[in-house]
Amino acid sequence: MFDGTFTADPQQVYDRVRAHGPAGPVELAPGVDATLVVEHEMALRVLQNPSLFARDSRRWKALNEGRVPLDSPILAMMAYRPNCLFTDGAVHLRLRQAVTASFDRLNMRRLRRDVEPIADFLIDQFSERGRADLINDYAKMLPLLLFNKLFGCPADIGDTLTSSLGALFDGIDVQRANEELTAGLMQLISLKRRRPAEDVTSWLIQHPAGLTDEELKDQLVMLMGAGFEPQRNLIGHALHLLLSKEGAGSGMLIEEAIDHVLWNNPPIANYAAHFPVQNVDLGGVVVEANSPVVISFAGANSDPALKEARESHNKGAHLAWGAGPHSCPAKDPALVIAIAAIERILNALPDLTLAVPDEALQYRPGPFQHALAALPVRFSPTPATRMVSALQTSAPLPAPEQPVLPTGVEPVPQAQPAQKRGFWSTLVDLFRV
């Protein structure tokens, strides 16, 4: 699942596995074996049975025995972290409650309003050129900048998180990027413990679960990572569909395009590694205890048994959001963000067209997603004045209030200016003008 054949046509791998049963052996990366579940019913059985299928990857037998290369590129996605993705039972419930309660406090109308100026800012970066790459210029950057807003990042920390998270997912100097991401998050947590505000980081800190700094850091890594990659792919795939021959002349609505993507090209194609606590039979394929069982959301969605549900776009049948106790806790915000981002760019650049034919588009390699590497488009050049117009019709962001601190409590030192100005600090400065 790591070579060019899979990248070009992942469905042929799912069909090959399905020809032998509901699940089958695959190689995720060189030296990393797993069992891939491609049948919808079997996927639900695994996802909804946490007592038999654990998520804690410290159980991973091959890794513990040294049979998984420690420099394997997939360890960043499968190695244990003490967050919602890799915990079970009471520990998982405690962490999950803190995450869901914090997301429940998001105002969906305000979230949409938060998307729009970020979209305008990004569109202004390329609108005068008459051409752009909607993946790297737009769909990639928008969720990164939005999460800085949602998590209450000041300018310098936001620049660090934006650059380091992007580098992690692109595989660029991963060790350094991880160190910078960790340092930036710990700095953010320290700041929000002293100066809480109306943001997800502060709400996680304030939750009765009483998360430690380490736990907070790992929940934030999970939330940013789980939001960034799927959101980029959801926006990118939906824009591709709407601009393609299939969508351009059909009058397809944005919501219809998103439903089509969730069914036919889910933002995360294969993930949710489980580790059976005992030897288990998956429809004729016996999986050894503590060996990874990976769910193919894309394979399960293409199960022939779902033909009728797929043709009717039944939203309750596909597995793009997962299922069971580890299902996506941010489904509603993700949809609001994607719809707002797509509407904004289609309205701003109404004559958007693909700059290359479909068969020339390239996809990023990797076992976990079938994701566009780029989406080149053309359009009539327009002036980069959207942010100016938006700021003239909306109230500027207030300067941060200086809290009255109790006697004996030292104020938090102001963060040092970033050595290199990034997208987030530039956007923040625009709001300050």
Side-chain angles (χ1 to χ4, degrees):
M1 294 176 67
F2 53 86
D3 63 12
T5 303
F6 176 76
T7 301
D9 185 12
Q11 190 61 49
Q12 50 89 16
V13 171
Y14 308 146
D15 291 341
R16 193 185 313 153
V17 173
R18 187 178 292 114
H20 298 284
V26 293
E27 191 177 14
L28 297 175
V32 184
D33 297 323
T35 299
L36 188 70
V37 178
V38 296
E39 183 189 76
H40 185 269
E41 184 179 348
M42 184 62 72
L44 285 176
R45 174 186 165 190
V46 175
L47 291 166
Q48 296 175 342
N49 192 351
S51 61
L52 179 57
F53 297 95
R55 292 297 296 269
D56 189 337
S57 57
R58 290 175 297 184
R59 292 176 169 271
W60 193 352
K61 183 178 180 181
L63 179 62
N64 294 335
E65 294 177 352
R67 292 186 281 120
V68 174
L70 294 181
D71 61 351
S72 175
I74 69 165
L75 284 182
M77 294 286 284
M78 289 181 64
Y80 174 79
R81 287 180 183 267
N83 62 34
C84 293
L85 283 178
F86 298 103
T87 50
D88 302 295
V91 175
H92 169 258
L93 180 61
R94 171 174 164 268
L95 298 175
R96 171 88 178 194
Q97 287 175 337
V99 168
T100 54
S102 298
F103 270 105
D104 285 345
R105 294 180 67 171
L106 287 174
N107 182 303
M108 294 298 111
R109 290 185 179 179
R110 179 175 176 180
L111 179 60
R112 182 184 177 87
R113 291 198 300 269
D114 287 339
V115 171
E116 291 173 351
I118 294 172
D120 289 343
F121 170 74
L122 291 173
I123 295 167
D124 275 352
Q125 307 307 304
F126 54 76
S127 65
E128 294 181 341
R129 298 200 307 256
R131 55 184 172 79
D133 170 5
L134 293 189
I135 297 297
N136 294 294
D137 294 339
Y138 191 69
K140 173 183 175 180
M141 294 306 303
L142 189 143
L144 286 174
L145 298 178
L146 179 63
F147 291 154
N148 285 341
K149 166 74 172 175
L150 297 183
F151 295 137
C153 293
D156 56 344
I157 296 177
D159 282 344
T160 297
L161 300 186
T162 300
S163 61
S164 58
L165 196 61
L168 273 177
F169 275 95
D170 291 338
I172 301 172
D173 199 354
V174 171
Q175 182 175 352
R176 178 180 176 183
N178 189 58
E179 291 172 353
E180 290 180 349
L181 178 65
T182 298
L185 289 174
M186 295 305 285
Q187 187 181 1
L188 176 64
I189 291 165
S190 176
L191 178 67
K192 293 300 177 179
R193 283 201 183 276
R194 304 285 290 272
R195 293 180 182 169
E198 290 298 303
D199 54 62
V200 173
T201 308
S202 299
W203 297 334
L204 282 170
I205 290 171
Q206 295 162 359
H207 192 270
L211 274 59
T212 67
D213 284 2
E214 279 295 313
E215 289 175 328
L216 286 164
K217 181 256 295 180
D218 283 301
Q219 305 323 301
L220 290 173
V221 168
M222 177 200 68
L223 293 174
M224 290 183 172
F228 165 52
E229 177 70 10
Q231 200 77 61
R232 163 168 64 173
N233 296 339
L234 181 57
I235 294 170
H237 287 319
L239 281 169
H240 172 219
L241 178 60
L242 288 164
L243 298 176
S244 69
K245 293 178 182 178
E246 182 179 355
S250 66
M252 180 180 288
L253 300 176
I254 293 173
E255 291 83 353
E256 292 173 335
I258 288 175
D259 285 342
H260 187 281
V261 169
L262 293 173
W263 264 108
N264 299 290
N265 201 357
I268 294 296
N270 310 290
Y271 197 46
H274 292 71
F275 300 86
V277 300
Q278 63 191 44
N279 293 354
V280 63
D281 185 341
L282 298 180
V285 177
V286 177
V287 180
E288 187 179 0
N290 299 320
S291 298
V293 173
V294 173
I295 304 298
S296 177
F297 302 110
N301 282 359
S302 64
D303 187 338
L306 296 183
K307 182 176 184 294
E308 184 176 336
R310 190 164 48 251
E311 290 176 348
S312 65
H313 293 287
N314 184 328
K315 298 179 182 180
H318 69 70
L319 291 181
W321 305 111
H326 289 272
S327 61
C328 177
K331 170 185 172 183
D332 291 340
L335 289 173
V336 168
I337 294 166
I339 292 170
I342 295 168
E343 280 183 353
R344 204 68 173 179
I345 193 165
L346 293 181
N347 288 334
L349 307 172
D351 62 347
L352 266 178
T353 58
L354 293 177
V356 298
D358 273 357
E359 54 269 22
L361 292 173
Q362 300 293 313
Y363 289 81
R364 289 187 287 126
F368 301 120
Q369 78 285 317
H370 183 55
L372 286 163
L375 186 61
V377 294
R378 293 189 299 259
F379 50 88
S380 300
T382 59
T385 57
R386 291 165 189 81
M387 279 298 297
V388 173
S389 299
L391 292 172
Q392 288 174 343
T393 58
S394 62
L397 294 181
E401 295 184 4
Q402 297 300 319
V404 178
L405 300 175
T407 304
V409 176
E410 294 294 327
V412 177
Q414 292 296 309
Q416 295 300 312
Q419 292 182 352
K420 182 180 179 181
R421 295 181 58 74
F423 272 100
W424 180 241
S425 58
T426 304
L427 179 59
V428 170
D429 280 352
L430 276 172
F431 274 105
R432 286 177 177 153
V433 172

